[in-house]
Amino acid sequence: MNQNRPVASVVSVVHLLAPKYRMARRRAEQSGGRGRVLLMSSVGLIFWLMLFAIVFRMLRYFKATPGLGDVLAVKLLGVILLAFLSVLLLSNIITALSAFFLASDLELLQAAPVESVKIYLARLIETMMQSSWMVVLVLIPVLSAYAISFKAGPSFFLVSFIAVPAYLVLPAVVGTAMTLVLVNVFPARRARDLLALIALFGATGVILMFRLLRPEQLVRPEGFRDLVDFVAALNTPSSVWLPSEWAAEALLAPVGVRYLAGDLFPLLLLVTTAAAFIVLGAWLHERLYREGFSRAQEGAELKHGVSSKPALLERSFSVLPPTARSLVAKDIRTFFRDTTQWSQLILLAVLVVIYVYNIKVLPIWSGEQLSFLMINIVSFLNLGLAGFVLAAIAARFIFPAISLEGRTLWLLRSSPLDLRSLLWCKYWVGIAPLLILAVSLTVGTNLILRVDSIMMVLSIITIVMMTFAIASIALGYGAVFPRFETDNAADISTGFGGMIFMMSAIGYLVAVVALEAWPVYSILRSRSEGLPLTSAQLTALGVGLGLALLVTTIAIVIPLREARRRIEVLDH
């Protein structure tokens, strides 16, 4: 090394990224044994195979359509990349705030003799990798399906290695620039809440946009009045200004799509635009970063005065014992004080609306009428889908409940509080809104489907059982796999324990639906044919419900007992 060269020129972007790489490698080595790695690899492989099979089957269907097959294939990849582009932009906005302004090593970097541009490039790469790794994992089976379907050669993989990083750079640069401008207007601590709201509203808009576009119409051309309407639907989300369109055309140019035929212009446009955005982002970083970083060090503002809301909240639960009343009020106040938690209710409301909308637009009362039997079978299968929605909600709100107490458990242990009371308060605070949502979803969708009265009663009983069991499984796994080192509920639910919980919840839902399926089908078939119910059918229904109740009881008791044992261990 040349001793005469200044330190700022010796330190490279690789040097700045090396500590992050070593931390990631150490975390991976300490993440668990071979069993955990094998389980996660198996789940990931199954997901890859399922996604590959779905995309490959769609591409085979498109290729069998003369004249429109290539257009539909490019359209499908463009829609996938457009959805990923929206997700990447939102993710980079949130990640850039921590990487550029809230990380613990930033003060050391700012004091070190390192060029500002190199810090920008290192943090940009870090932001892009943290925000894009999941998208890359999903893109692997998608692009593999395209490669096999179109019998792609080596040029496809070469273009992919160039186009995909360029595609990922664009939302990373734009998200970083938006965060930089926002922090120069608001303090970074307050900007985090604002960015969380922006991300939630953005995700809400993206989900609504894609659902209202009704992309399923593209595989049903007979639903359009004429060819002009179908072609117009093909061009709905397309634009020459969208990087997702450039990436889709660049990726499919080498695989033999006729109207692209080896066209390199989309690839050149994508790569040069990404390079130009990096230059513009570095220029903006030089102009605004120091002021924004200085504002990020400002302390939070304190509100003076005593609010009457806490007392009013505790009076609302006056029927509870004093300890339980205080714990419940504390959980509710904590939930609504944390923007990253209560803002999830916006996204939850949108997902529920879309779920009900999907049921409403089912072609049951339009076109060819479905029979009484099929309508009620759809309603029964709807229980499994509703249970899956409840499991996803429980993973987000109930599973992290114990972990979020991590920084206050020392205080609770030093108090005369029985920590088992904490467990039961977490359970009932989580299950109450979940139960209201479950019953409302079930009754609402059944009214839309106009199901039989027997099916309505059976659906309500089953969904109530599912709700109690799912909440218990979520709380149990949350106590077995706590993550006390973080206060971000989203990070807690995406770990190993969250994955195991979702697998267990899905297994429970499959077991309950399978136990009730045959007796329910037998009774519905008899009612559709106008036949009286036999004692054997009623006995089979009783046995099915009894076994489902037994499985539900096990799913409630064992996780809560294990969670109670873990809480008692924490108490000692």
Side-chain angles (χ1 to χ4, degrees):
M1 182 181 296
N2 188 355
Q3 300 295 330
N4 296 324
R5 293 177 62 187
V7 178
S9 62
V10 173
V11 177
S12 65
V13 176
V14 177
H15 287 94
L16 296 176
L17 291 174
K20 299 294 182 180
Y21 168 74
R22 288 193 290 268
M23 289 175 57
R25 187 177 64 179
R26 180 64 61 86
R27 191 180 298 114
E29 292 174 353
Q30 298 176 349
S31 60
R34 295 180 179 179
R36 177 177 294 190
V37 174
L38 181 61
L39 179 60
M40 297 184 69
S41 301
S42 301
V43 173
L45 181 60
I46 293 173
F47 173 77
W48 273 4
L49 292 175
M50 291 176 58
L51 184 58
F52 172 84
I54 293 172
V55 177
F56 184 73
R57 185 176 181 85
M58 294 180 67
L59 291 176
R60 288 185 59 186
Y61 176 79
F62 290 160
K63 291 185 69 176
T65 306
L68 291 175
D70 290 347
V71 179
L72 291 173
V74 177
K75 183 67 176 180
L76 175 63
L77 185 58
V79 170
I80 293 174
L81 293 177
L82 179 59
F84 287 163
L85 189 68
S86 306
V87 173
L88 287 170
L89 181 59
L90 297 174
S91 179
N92 277 284
I93 289 175
I94 299 298
T95 307
L97 180 64
S98 298
F100 279 86
F101 296 100
L102 302 179
S104 57
D105 60 342
L106 285 172
E107 294 182 3
L108 179 62
L109 280 178
Q110 291 301 310
V114 182
E115 295 177 3
S116 177
V117 174
K118 293 181 180 179
I119 296 178
Y120 169 76
L121 292 177
R123 292 294 162 161
L124 179 65
I125 295 174
E126 179 186 342
T127 300
M128 185 178 69
M129 293 181 66
Q130 290 182 3
S131 304
S132 308
W133 66 270
M134 183 64 72
V135 170
V136 173
L137 290 180
V138 175
L139 272 178
I140 291 175
V142 173
L143 296 181
S144 300
Y146 272 88
I148 296 176
S149 178
F150 285 92
K151 299 179 182 179
S155 58
F156 173 78
F157 299 98
L158 178 62
V159 170
S160 299
F161 280 115
I162 299 175
V164 172
Y167 164 77
L168 297 176
V169 162
L170 291 172
V173 174
V174 173
T176 300
M178 292 177 63
T179 303
L180 180 61
V181 172
L182 192 61
V183 170
N184 276 271
V185 178
F186 300 96
R189 312 292 170 175
R190 187 178 299 173
R192 183 192 307 194
D193 296 339
L194 184 59
L195 285 174
L197 288 177
I198 292 175
L200 260 297
F201 281 114
T204 299
V206 169
I207 294 173
L208 281 175
M209 179 188 71
F210 275 96
R211 187 61 200 95
L212 294 177
L213 285 175
R214 301 183 67 180
E216 69 276 4
Q217 289 183 323
L218 296 177
V219 296
R220 293 192 297 112
E222 66 274 7
F224 295 91
R225 291 179 299 178
D226 49 36
L227 182 61
V228 175
D229 288 346
F230 182 67
V231 174
L234 283 178
N235 294 323
T236 300
S238 302
S239 173
V240 295
W241 299 101
L242 287 176
S244 56
E245 293 291 324
W246 309 341
E249 294 179 357
L251 290 169
L252 296 184
V255 300
V257 174
R258 283 187 291 273
Y259 73 93
L260 294 175
D263 186 8
L264 292 179
F265 178 74
L267 179 62
L268 294 175
L269 181 61
L270 185 64
V271 173
T272 54
T273 304
F277 269 51
I278 292 177
V279 174
L280 292 175
W283 175 80
L284 190 66
H285 180 86
E286 288 279 357
R287 295 289 301 272
L288 300 179
Y289 183 72
R290 290 187 179 276
E291 178 67 23
F293 182 76
S294 177
R295 292 177 63 85
Q297 311 311 309
E298 297 178 4
E301 296 181 0
L302 295 178
K303 294 182 177 180
H304 299 281
V306 180
S307 174
S308 62
K309 292 183 179 179
L312 179 62
L313 186 60
E314 292 198 14
R315 285 199 300 269
S316 303
F317 301 99
S318 57
V319 295
L320 299 177
T323 301
R325 182 167 63 245
S326 299
L327 288 174
V328 170
K330 177 188 73 69
D331 285 342
I332 295 176
R333 286 196 299 269
T334 303
F335 177 82
F336 284 101
R337 284 173 180 172
D338 188 354
T339 308
T340 60
Q341 289 201 62
W342 68 259
S343 60
Q344 298 289 327
L345 296 176
I346 303 171
L347 186 59
L348 173 61
V350 173
L351 292 177
V352 170
V353 170
I354 291 176
Y355 179 81
V356 177
Y357 176 75
N358 287 334
I359 298 296
K360 190 176 187 330
V361 298
L362 286 174
I364 294 178
W365 307 109
S366 60
E368 184 178 354
Q369 295 292 316
L370 295 182
S371 64
F372 168 86
L373 177 62
M374 287 303 300
I375 292 175
N376 284 275
I377 289 177
V378 169
S379 173
F380 183 74
L381 295 177
N382 179 50
L383 284 175
L385 296 176
F388 181 79
V389 172
L390 295 177
I393 297 172
R396 180 58 186 83
F397 294 105
I398 301 179
F399 180 85
I402 299 298
S403 298
L404 291 176
E405 294 289 343
R407 298 187 177 184
T408 58
L409 276 178
W410 66 271
L411 179 62
L412 296 176
R413 282 200 295 266
S414 63
S415 68
L417 172 68
D418 182 6
L419 290 185
R420 289 174 296 181
S421 301
L422 173 68
L423 175 68
W424 287 109
C425 289
K426 296 287 185 183
Y427 183 70
W428 290 110
V429 167
I431 203 173
L434 201 65
L435 193 60
I436 295 173
L437 176 64
V439 175
S440 301
L441 269 180
T442 304
V443 173
T445 53
N446 282 345
L447 290 176
I448 293 174
L449 295 172
R450 307 178 194 177
V451 301
D452 185 67
S453 57
I454 292 181
M455 193 62 218
M456 175 70 82
V457 174
L458 181 63
S459 298
I460 295 175
I461 294 174
T462 304
I463 202 66
V464 169
M465 292 193 308
M466 288 180 174
T467 304
F468 278 94
I470 288 172
S472 175
I473 296 172
L475 194 61
Y477 276 108
V480 173
F481 298 99
R483 296 181 63 181
F484 296 124
E485 72 278 2
T486 178
D487 55 359
N488 189 346
D491 293 339
I492 296 171
S493 58
T494 55
F496 178 77
M499 184 188 68
I500 298 298
F501 158 68
M502 287 300 298
M503 294 172 60
S504 302
I506 292 173
Y508 162 76
L509 294 173
V510 170
V512 170
V513 172
L515 288 172
E516 295 184 2
W518 175 249
V520 169
Y521 174 78
S522 177
I523 290 178
L524 291 176
R525 185 171 183 178
S526 296
R527 288 180 64 83
S528 66
E529 296 175 354
L531 300 176
L533 299 179
T534 64
S535 58
Q537 289 176 324
L538 295 176
T539 301
L541 179 62
V543 171
L545 287 175
L547 292 175
L549 181 60
L550 176 63
V551 172
T552 301
T553 303
I554 294 174
I556 294 174
V557 173
I558 293 180
L560 286 180
R561 182 176 297 174
E562 181 63 20
R564 176 180 174 180
R565 189 182 71 81
R566 293 301 179 106
I567 290 293
E568 289 175 345
V569 170
L570 291 175
D571 198 13
H572 295 292

